[in-house]
Amino acid sequence: FAISGLLKTIQGSGTVAVITAATLCLPIAERLQLDPILVALAAGSGARLVCHVNDSYFWVFARMSGFDTRTALRTLSVANVPMAAGGLLATWLASLVLR
């Protein structure tokens, strides 16, 4: 979650963040005997954590909504935090079921 969130913040692409985080964490998950699906879910949730001006979706959202940059930052960026937290919570709940 944290790795993909950091990667998304730095470089802007959620796809790259998810793939990179899942690839980096898979060997660790195998050693800890974690389900690889949970790793992928956590990485996907983390990739929703931050959305700002270096993300292409940010500009699609801003222009299609008619928002200026400041308004888009206040709406989309703030809304993504609970969305990512909800994904992390759902991943944790799935981990309880998959044990």
Side-chain angles (χ1 to χ4, degrees), residues 14-90:
T15 305
V16 172
V18 169
I19 292 171
T20 304
T23 303
L24 289 173
C25 293
L26 189 59
I28 298 167
E30 288 175 351
R31 283 196 178 224
L32 296 174
Q33 298 176 345
L34 296 174
D35 191 327
I37 292 176
L38 295 174
V39 173
L41 288 172
S45 299
R48 289 283 9 124
L49 189 58
V50 176
C51 186
H52 60 88
V53 296
N54 68 347
D55 182 1
S56 59
Y57 177 68
F58 174 84
W59 294 110
V60 171
F61 172 80
R63 297 300 177 244
M64 295 297 286
S65 301
F67 293 157
D68 62 352
T69 303
R70 184 176 178 162
T71 304
L73 281 169
R74 287 193 316 228
T75 55
L76 182 62
S77 299
V78 171
N80 274 346
V81 174
M83 189 183 333
L88 185 59
L89 177 64

